[in-house]
Amino acid sequence: MQLDQTHVVIRARTLSEIGDLALVLVRHYPIASIGGFLLGAFPWMVINALLIGWMPLAALADGIHDDETVGQLTRYVYLMTLLIILQTPAAGVLTTVFIGQAVFEKTPDVRAAWTDVLRLFRRWFWVLAVARGPVLVICLLALNWGRPLSMTFEVFFPLLILSAALFTRAARPFMPEILVLERCPLKTPAGSNMIAASRRSGALHGPMTGDLVGRFTTVSMLLFCLAIALFHTLLWVRGMVIGNWDWSIWVYLFLFPLALWLAGSVSVLIRFLSYLDTRIKLEGWEVDLAVRA
């Protein structure tokens, strides 16, 4: 580990510089940033397809486009968007570990990153997948599988969970880094000097809450625009390659979720770089690394 020869220069950055650097990381580490994220997202993709994939299949089965078809497709788009927003932090754990290695090590190892993710599975899965809502929403939607729209199971409670999760992520965005990079336990073991994740989260996020919420809001709007741009790009590529410009079942089942997941992969990189920036501003991390080196 080269503390004074990091692949990403450890210094304070503006939000625009963080966005630029995130795209640079995509270019230098495409397998880790995009491939690793899609690998981590694959189980969630399968769950989403089994959970709500029947909606566009049923809506487009007879080839009739009426108000009922539009309503069913709108329902699917809304639920898929909600699920992917909730699932992105958990899906990006592998990318977080690999990029964390890549900052300091010349030859980061995907296998070693995967081993770390599995070893810390209980820790990050409980916080990112259970406590922050994805598993809860999946259970709610499973209760209404194959049935008409339920305001209780598909609107009220999912939106309530999403609102709580977004509020938590806006004020406490760096829990993935705390859990899998700093490896803070959920509870401090007896006789150990390790800092619990909740205590570390308060120390890292507390002084920067206002700035973090502002950044979260700005980045969310930019990612929304990016997802739309990616979706229309995928539609254009599909149309140019096969000559089909219709919004078929493949558009809803594959292209639309893929655009959202790709935008989510960029959000993981932006969050990681914001984590570095926050540690630099609060802890003088660049000075600490230089002294330790």
Side-chain angles (χ1 to χ4, degrees):
M1 182 176 292
Q2 304 296 322
L3 297 179
D4 57 344
Q5 298 179 17
T6 57
H7 289 198
V8 175
V9 177
I10 305 298
R11 65 174 180 83
R13 289 180 170 87
T14 63
L15 183 57
S16 60
E17 290 176 323
I18 288 174
D20 290 340
L21 185 55
L23 298 180
V24 172
L25 289 179
V26 171
R27 186 183 66 184
H28 283 282
Y29 303 105
I31 295 178
S33 57
I34 303 298
F37 179 83
L38 293 179
L39 179 62
F42 181 75
W44 300 105
M45 294 178 185
V46 174
I47 292 173
N48 294 347
L50 296 175
L51 194 64
I52 62 174
W54 63 270
M55 296 179 185
L57 288 173
L60 300 175
D62 54 9
I64 300 175
H65 293 272
D66 53 11
D67 292 342
E68 184 178 353
T69 300
V70 173
Q72 191 78 326
L73 293 176
T74 303
R75 175 189 179 191
Y76 167 79
V77 169
Y78 149 71
L79 290 176
M80 181 62 75
T81 303
L82 185 147
L83 285 169
I84 292 177
I85 290 174
L86 289 173
Q87 294 163 356
T88 293
V93 168
L94 179 60
T95 296
T96 300
V97 174
F98 188 89
I99 294 297
Q101 292 179 354
V103 169
F104 294 98
E105 300 177 11
K106 293 183 178 180
T107 55
D109 188 352
V110 177
R111 182 174 299 179
W114 183 251
T115 301
D116 285 345
V117 169
L118 294 179
R119 184 169 64 251
L120 300 171
F121 175 79
R122 290 185 179 180
R123 187 179 303 176
W124 64 260
F125 187 82
W126 171 254
V127 175
L128 303 179
V130 178
R132 295 200 173 185
V135 172
L136 300 179
V137 172
I138 288 172
C139 293
L140 288 173
L141 297 182
L143 293 175
N144 199 53
W145 192 92
R147 300 176 181 177
L149 174 67
S150 169
M151 296 299 295
T152 300
F153 292 120
E154 296 183 10
V155 179
F156 178 74
F157 283 117
L159 287 180
L160 185 64
I161 293 171
L162 177 65
S163 299
L166 291 180
F167 178 80
T168 304
R169 282 161 58 178
R172 300 286 189 270
F174 305 133
M175 281 304 294
E177 285 76 14
I178 291 173
L179 294 171
V180 300
L181 293 183
E182 299 186 21
R183 304 185 183 184
C184 295
L186 298 180
K187 294 183 179 180
T188 303
S192 173
N193 294 326
M194 299 179 67
I195 301 176
S198 58
R199 182 179 176 186
R200 174 57 177 155
S201 175
L204 183 62
H205 296 117
M208 298 286 290
T209 299
D211 186 58
L212 293 175
V213 171
R215 284 193 174 191
F216 180 85
T217 304
T218 302
V219 171
S220 297
M221 291 187 292
L222 293 175
L223 291 174
F224 174 76
C225 297
L226 177 61
I228 294 176
L230 288 170
F231 177 60
H232 285 280
T233 299
L234 293 173
L235 284 178
W236 179 83
V237 171
R238 171 179 173 269
M240 294 298 293
V241 172
I242 66 177
N244 185 357
W245 300 92
D246 295 334
W247 285 36
S248 65
I249 187 64
W250 301 104
V251 172
Y252 289 98
L253 288 181
F254 295 101
L255 297 188
F256 175 69
L258 179 60
L260 295 180
W261 285 120
L262 290 175
S265 68
V266 177
S267 74
V268 173
L269 298 177
I270 292 176
R271 189 195 65 226
F272 170 76
L273 294 173
S274 296
Y275 161 77
L276 296 183
D277 186 68
T278 300
R279 289 200 62 179
I280 290 167
K281 291 178 179 178
L282 285 182
E283 303 170 357
W285 200 31
E286 75 282 24
V287 177
D288 176 59
L289 291 178
V291 171
R292 289 168 59 190

